[in-house]
Amino acid sequence: MASPTFRQKATGGNSTAANVTVSVPAGTADDDIMIFLLCKDDTNAVTWPGGWNILFEDTANSYYNGVGWKRASSEPADYTWTFS
């Protein structure tokens, strides 16, 4: 079995938005594992896009931190995480 290899990254953000949209990294291929880290400066709930598996969520010290993963399969151009 081959060791994991870093392929590409994508970032996004807006300090006043009600959501964040991030493009799927260039070169993402089916069966790639995508990992997403979300940090924001409030503890409001986050709705993750469909198909993402949440590994960790925490709202300590007035911040939200979340980590999730997804196996790529015919990915759209981008994903949106919505804040409530």
Side-chain angles (χ1 to χ4, degrees):
M1 182 169 163
S3 297
T5 317
F6 177 78
R7 186 183 302 271
Q8 190 57 269
K9 70 175 181 177
T11 61
N14 182 327
S15 62
T16 61
N19 58 52
V20 63
T21 299
V22 178
S23 297
V24 171
T28 298
D30 285 355
D31 291 326
D32 282 354
I33 299 296
M34 299 184 295
I35 299 171
F36 189 77
L37 168 65
L38 176 62
C39 301
K40 62 187 190 80
D41 63 356
D42 62 49
T43 58
N44 293 335
V46 173
T47 301
W48 284 68
W52 285 84
N53 303 286
I54 300 170
L55 294 173
F56 172 83
E57 286 186 297
D58 183 43
T59 55
N61 301 317
S62 300
Y63 289 92
Y64 170 93
N65 294 293
V67 177
W69 72 275
K70 182 181 185 311
R71 182 180 302 274
S73 177
S74 301
E75 295 307 308
D78 54 44
Y79 281 101
T80 299
W81 284 257
T82 304
F83 313 144
S84 60

